[in-house]
Amino acid sequence: MTTLKLSTVHLIVDDPMRALTFYRDALGLTLTGDVAQGGLRWLTFSSPDQPGVQIVLSQPHAGRSKEDGDAVARLLAKGSLGGAIFASNNLEETFAKLTAAQVDVVQPPTDQPWGVRDCAVRDPAGNMIRISQA
């Protein structure tokens, strides 16, 4: 039987240093890779509970033409790119840690009509990060 697992998710960030602080210090992810090349920087993180799943952060122009990178940068600035959804076994504690880090809060922990309790914040680049109660 064939199995299929998620291994890598890409997010775009405009400032790797600010992203590093958010993903490592505020979210508590482990930095597993930091590659600088051609004036750009890629950061890779994983959760201690899911070391096989990587979150790769790259800049708008990484691997893209100038035209495409400029377009991605404009979408990022609008907060129009995707984000990520995490699950925490203690949503309230995770949210308290994020607010202590002074992240941009979109929604405090809320019981959603579809049965999930979650919160939402933005990373420093504007990506939506939702965290649900596991």
Side-chain angles (χ1 to χ4, degrees), residues 107-121:
Q107 172 211 298
T110 302
D111 291 321
Q112 301 294 350
W114 52 89
V116 173
R117 180 168 179 76
D118 67 358
C119 69
V121 299

Side-chain angles (χ1 to χ4, degrees), residues 39-123:
L40 300 171
R41 189 173 176 193
W42 288 261
L43 301 173
T44 305
F45 294 90
S46 66
S47 165
D49 292 334
Q50 288 182 300
V53 178
Q54 297 182 330
I55 299 168
V56 178
L57 307 180
S58 62
Q59 294 172 274
H61 291 87
R64 296 177 184 86
S65 69
K66 178 171 180 354
E67 180 183 18
D68 287 349
D70 289 349
V72 169
R74 284 191 299 274
L75 291 172
L76 179 64
K78 291 179 176 181
S80 298
L81 296 179
I85 301 174
F86 293 89
S88 170
N89 65 351
N90 189 332
L91 178 62
E92 305 301 328
E93 182 178 288
T94 300
F95 183 72
K97 184 177 177 183
L98 290 169
T99 55
Q102 300 181 336
V103 303
D104 180 13
V105 174
V106 177
Q107 172 211 298
T110 302
D111 291 321
Q112 301 294 350
W114 52 89
V116 173
R117 180 168 179 76
D118 67 358
C119 69
V121 299
R122 290 201 182 273
D123 76 4

